[in-house]
Amino acid sequence: MQTYPHSRQLMEICRVGGEANEEFVAAARASGALRPEFTAGDLHALVVDNALALKHGERPAREDYDRRTMYLLDGIRPASG
């Protein structure tokens, strides 16, 4: 988006992707799989942050990446009990 900010086609792809994220998060919250306050914006930020860390950081070992991903997922799930 930063490289082609005036691309209508790219903006349309982003709009459709944003709508899909909204639907995905709403369905996950409704099913009880996500904290009620978690938003599509939160999902977008987590995905972007992860992509930037992988692009600009040192590639972690698979087991480290998987363990850290579980920490993230545990944090966005509703508290049990």
Side-chain angles (χ1 to χ4, degrees), residues 4 14 36:
Y4 302 103
C14 291

Side-chain angles (χ1 to χ4, degrees), residues 30-57:
S31 74
L34 282 177
R35 292 175 176 261
E37 69 274 13
F38 190 84
T39 68
D42 295 328
L43 175 61
H44 178 77
L46 290 173
V47 170
V48 169
D49 291 350
N50 188 56
L52 289 172
L54 290 173
K55 179 178 180 181
H56 297 290

Side-chain angles (χ1 to χ4, degrees), residues 2-81:
Q2 292 175 351
T3 303
Y4 302 103
H6 302 294
S7 169
R8 284 187 227 158
Q9 185 178 11
L10 181 57
M11 293 303 118
E12 180 61 12
I13 290 169
C14 291
R15 185 191 66 72
V16 170
E19 287 178 0
N21 283 348
E22 291 280 351
E23 292 173 12
F24 175 73
V25 168
R29 283 194 321 236
S31 74
L34 282 177
R35 292 175 176 261
E37 69 274 13
F38 190 84
T39 68
D42 295 328
L43 175 61
H44 178 77
L46 290 173
V47 170
V48 169
D49 291 350
N50 188 56
L52 289 172
L54 290 173
K55 179 178 180 181
H56 297 290
E58 192 172 311
R59 187 178 186 107
R62 181 63 194 218
E63 55 274 3
D64 292 338
Y65 183 81
D66 289 349
R67 186 184 69 254
R68 293 171 188 149
T69 299
M70 287 308 301
Y71 294 149
L72 177 110
L73 293 174
D74 287 346
I76 64 175
R77 289 184 185 121
S80 60

